[in-house]
């Protein structure tokens, strides 16, 4: 019997430290090779099994987020086959390259698994390419079109500043604007990194192939990257996903907080974070 007690879940922001586009399938979806981590900032959800699904959206980033069947959290309840009463406290910007919607949907699936004692039905990638990696939010290599997930051993402590300049970038448009879709993958086997500086150094040999087309579509992303790369504590600055959110890696949380305080541009979402 499903429990009718509310289950609380955290839906962390997903960050693509690298994102290589290595091919294109006949259905138009792209093959990816990505190093994915999660931040300690995200959305919060309360999920209770119910006779009909109902979604309410609140929080600082609730504006414009649908509270009906268009919301991925609703589709997640349908996918699980368990109607639910879902309250979504939205903190992450939408359509931002940090997997907000996918992480929310994954959180609903985890909550329903806990409430019902059933396991999450397969095929979550049908809800979105970022769904599978968000189901167990921890450092992972993501391949295929997003459905092949290899969990990684814990990474060294890494900190970052996330910056979103307030523009929404449509993922399909970014993929469509790619000049080349058969780029080299990441290295065959990933090394172990003793500290953040070594990881950042290694990441310099990787790419986000979606960054150039996103910068073309939304030049303000280029402004964000230039601003971050000027910061003395910035080990590496790059865009996450299809943007527009960018990150700057730092060695300590204090450095991330100091950098975030300096980048106070009106209209920009700026967040110091720790990544795991
Ligand atoms: O699956 P999701 O809704 O996140 O994907 C949004 C769009 O991004 C897809 O419709 C597709 O155009 C593009 N995409 C892709 N290859 C992927 C993931 C997404 O082409 N691996």
């Amino acid at each position: 019997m499903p429990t009718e007690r509310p289950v609380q879940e955290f839906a962390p922001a997903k960050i693509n430290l690298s994102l290589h586009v290595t091919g294109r399938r006949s259905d138009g979806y792209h093959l990816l090779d990505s190093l994915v981590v999660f931040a300690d900032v995200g959305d919060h959800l309360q999920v209770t099994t119910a006779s009909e699904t109902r979604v309410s959206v609140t929080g600082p980033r609730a504006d414009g987020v649908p509270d009906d069947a268009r919301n991925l959290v609703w589709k997640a309840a349908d996918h699980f086959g368990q109607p639910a009463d879902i309250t979504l406290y939205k903190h992450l910007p939408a359509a931002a390259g940090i997997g907000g919607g996918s992480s929310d949907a994954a959180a609903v699936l985890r909550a329903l698994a806990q409430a019902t004692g059933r396991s999450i039905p397969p095929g979550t990638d049908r809800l979105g390419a970022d769904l599978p990696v968000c189901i167990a939010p921890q450092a992972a290599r993501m391949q295929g079109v997003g459905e092949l997930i290899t969990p990684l051993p814990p990474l060294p402590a890494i900190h970052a500043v996330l910056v979103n300049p307030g523009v929404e970038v449509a993922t399909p448009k970014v993929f469509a604007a790619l000049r080349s879709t058969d780029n080299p993958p990441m290295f065959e086997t990933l090394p172990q990194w003793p500290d953040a500086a070594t990881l950042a150094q290694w990441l310099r040999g990787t790419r986000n192939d979606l960054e150039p087309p996103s910068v073309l579509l939304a030049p303000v992303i280029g402004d964000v990257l230039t601003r971050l790369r000027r910061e003395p504590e910035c080990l590496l600055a790059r865009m996450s996903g299809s943007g527009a959110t960018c990150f700057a890696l730092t060695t300590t949380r204090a450095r991330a907080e100091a950098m975030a305080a300096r980048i106070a541009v009106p209209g920009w979402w700026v967040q110091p974070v720790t990544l795991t």
Side-chain angles (χ1 to χ4, degrees), residues 3-22:
T3 158
E4 281 170 24
R5 257 178 297 132
V7 178
Q8 317 284 340
E9 274 289 339
F10 177 55
K14 165 230 71 168
I15 308 295
N16 302 92
L17 291 178
S18 64
L19 180 52
H20 294 210
V21 179
T22 59

Side-chain angles (χ1 to χ4, degrees), residues 22-67:
T22 59
R24 192 159 182 267
R25 282 196 328 202
S26 51
D27 65 358
Y29 265 74
H30 293 80
L31 298 173
L32 309 174
D33 191 9
S34 176
L35 181 54
V36 178
V37 293
F38 290 87
D40 58 350
V41 62
D43 298 332
H44 292 267
L45 294 95
Q46 180 170 293
V47 180
T48 316
T49 58
S51 52
E52 279 180 8
T53 293
R54 199 180 67 97
V55 173
S56 73
V57 187
T58 173
R61 287 276 168 169
D63 260 14
V65 178
D67 59 1

